[in-house]
Amino acid sequence: MKKKENLKGKIRRALDIDDLVPCEDRLEMDGTNELCVSRVGRILFYSEDEIKLALRSYDLKISGNRLYCVSYRSGAVRVSGEIRTLEFERRAKK
Amino acid sequence: MRKTSFILWLFGYCIIEIPRAFLEEFLNLCLRYGFNYYGIEMDEEKKRARVKISALEQRNILCACRIWQIRARVVLRGGLPSRASRYRGRWGLLVGAVVSLAVFFISQGVIWRIDVIGNERLSDEYVIGLLDEHGMSVGDLKSGINRDSVEQRIMIDDDEIAWISINLVGTVARVEVREVIDTEIKDKNTTPANLVSSFNAQIVGMEVYSGFLSVKEGDFVKKGELLVSGIYKEGKSPLRVTRASGRILGKVTHTIEVKVPLVQSKKVYTGEIISKKSLIFFGKPIKFFTNYRNLPISYDIINYVYAFDPFSLGELPISLSVDEYHEYEMKDIEISESEAMELAYEELRARIDKELPDAQILKKTLYGEIVDGKYVLRCTLTAVCDIARQVEFEIR
């Protein structure tokens, strides 16, 4: 069954501004040294080898070396360092 | 810890220490309120994290940490404000910094150096002196100089300079000059004059520019005899007056006698030297001391100027001027005949240059002897030279 599109989605599609106003969590990678994640809810774990971020519906685990993260007020987090793996863990609905 | 950016250093930063267990909470706090941090570092045991934050946000962050019950404490403060606080109360440093900054900014607006280009006959010092007379020198404010006016006045006042241009390149004034070539230098004196002979001579050549020629080649003339008249008549016109000019070459026989006493009064330096030092800053002398010892009765002054030229990049308008006063006494000294002869020859050369300038010497006879305690050198010269001398006259 097709999911019903909400008003926000309709407007976004009509104006063709999907890229500017993303509806889902957005991840942008620049090589393997930088990762920008938008709509981060919380930082669950932070260490130089592993950073775990809570997104809307899943958690993102970033593993690597010399990791460092900078957060922005808009809810974006930029992780820099040597990124090796990205793991997505869907959270069980309460 | 990440490198401290200049802006962060300028406004100051501090490092706060947070227990490892609170690190994620702290990061979430920053994420929530938009606080910036500039580096996270864990200690060796990984029990504490050190986070660098801006000093401007320090108060807000620590306040938010208290509300979120995060244990954070400032362990280090850095940057300019914390460094400056070390010098609190030391007003001399502040005044010095302000004065040096003021000097730095003021110095941008003054002339540091004057470079003269395009001069061949005239020296740099002459042109710089000329500029000084017309209101432009090292240390003057650039805004206070009317370049057009200085250029115009120099071109009008000075006969040696045909054209001058002043260009300000930063703090250096580049002065370009074009000299008047010799043929352009005209005798501006219009007082009527005759040309008369300076010697008894036989005329061998002539070159008359103005006036009426009264002699011809081969004539013998006496000293003071009229050669070229400043009064002349053309056809039926009334008498005309001019300033006679030209060159009359004559063959002359001239005798020069030089006397050098064998006992001479000579300067003998006592070795006593008094130095007066002053700093020349942008052309203005600043004396180090106002009271010096009394100067000796007889002295010679030698002035040394040491220009400040760091790394040979160009002279700065700062120099040290030292005036040395060398005391001397006049003493009678007996000289040998050969020494007297040497001095006599030296004086003779100088007198020939003075009395017969540009002369072509055909014959020279020398005779030297000692007469009454003096070495007398007689020189008889036969030479071809310009014998014409201008003698002005009045018209009533």
Side-chain angles (χ1 to χ4, degrees), chain A residues 32-49:
Chain A
T32 55
N33 293 322
E34 203 164 278
L35 171 70
C36 279
V37 187
S38 58
R39 299 184 171 216
V40 174
R42 282 180 65 78
I43 295 167
L44 301 171
F45 182 77
Y46 179 92
S47 75
E48 284 190 342
D49 308 323

Side-chain angles (χ1 to χ4, degrees), chain B residues 169-186:
Chain B
V169 184
T171 54
V172 177
R174 294 191 63 178
V175 180
E176 207 172 329
V177 291
R178 292 283 178 273
E179 295 165 355
V180 170
I181 54 173
D182 284 345
T183 51
E184 289 174 8
I185 301 170
K186 289 174 185 168

Side-chain angles (χ1 to χ4, degrees), chain A residues 40-49 68-78 80, chain B residues 2 20 23-25 27-28 30-42 46 68:
Chain A
V40 174
R42 282 180 65 78
I43 295 167
L44 301 171
F45 182 77
Y46 179 92
S47 75
E48 284 190 342
D49 308 323
Y68 172 75
C69 87
V70 180
S71 57
Y72 300 101
R73 199 186 193 118
S74 58
V77 168
R78 196 185 71 213
S80 53
Chain B
R2 287 190 150 195
R20 173 66 190 88
L23 181 60
E24 284 81 10
E25 271 308 285
L27 294 175
N28 285 319
C30 292
L31 185 66
R32 171 86 178 268
Y33 296 111
F35 293 134
N36 293 313
Y37 52 90
Y38 303 92
I40 303 167
E41 205 172 65
M42 305 298 291
K46 302 212 170 183
W68 281 44

Side-chain angles (χ1 to χ4, degrees), chain A:
Chain A
M1 194 182 148
K2 197 179 174 185
K3 194 179 172 184
K4 199 182 173 185
E5 196 175 24
N6 61 11
L7 181 66
K8 200 175 164 185
K10 281 178 185 172
I11 294 168
R12 202 168 44 237
R13 197 164 50 81
L15 297 174
D16 196 18
I17 53 168
D18 263 4
D19 287 349
L20 299 174
V21 190
C23 60
E24 297 298 327
D25 304 324
R26 193 178 182 89
L27 276 79
E28 277 181 43
M29 256 190 116
D30 185 4
T32 55
N33 293 322
E34 203 164 278
L35 171 70
C36 279
V37 187
S38 58
R39 299 184 171 216
V40 174
R42 282 180 65 78
I43 295 167
L44 301 171
F45 182 77
Y46 179 92
S47 75
E48 284 190 342
D49 308 323
E50 190 184 306
I51 293 172
K52 199 169 179 183
L53 307 172
L55 305 184
R56 266 185 150 187
S57 51
Y58 53 87
D59 297 340
L60 171 64
K61 195 168 95 177
I62 305 151
S63 307
N65 289 325
R66 296 190 303 278
L67 297 177
Y68 172 75
C69 87
V70 180
S71 57
Y72 300 101
R73 199 186 193 118
S74 58
V77 168
R78 196 185 71 213
V79 178
S80 53
E82 195 183 311
I83 299 167
R84 272 209 313 270
T85 59
L86 297 177
E87 284 177 47
F88 298 92
E89 287 174 19
R90 192 159 288 278
R91 273 199 301 271
K93 283 185 180 174
K94 287 176 186 175

Side-chain angles (χ1 to χ4, degrees), chain B residues 137-191:
Chain B
S137 58
V138 170
D140 285 350
L141 279 173
K142 288 194 288 184
S143 56
I145 294 167
N146 186 342
R147 282 187 285 157
D148 292 338
S149 162
V150 174
E151 288 167 0
Q152 292 295 330
R153 281 188 291 133
I154 287 176
M155 281 191 276
I156 292 167
D157 295 349
D158 197 86
D159 297 333
E160 302 281 327
I161 290 176
W163 176 82
I164 186 166
S165 169
I166 302 163
N167 301 302
L168 293 174
V169 184
T171 54
V172 177
R174 294 191 63 178
V175 180
E176 207 172 329
V177 291
R178 292 283 178 273
E179 295 165 355
V180 170
I181 54 173
D182 284 345
T183 51
E184 289 174 8
I185 301 170
K186 289 174 185 168
D187 189 1
K188 284 189 174 177
N189 192 347
T190 53
T191 313

Side-chain angles (χ1 to χ4, degrees), chain B residues 263-283:
Chain B
V263 177
Q264 294 211 334
S265 189
K266 269 197 162 181
K267 271 184 193 177
V268 177
Y269 289 102
T270 61
E272 187 77 20
I273 301 168
I274 295 173
S275 298
K276 288 185 178 182
K277 290 174 187 168
S278 56
L279 184 75
I280 299 173
F281 187 70
F282 285 98

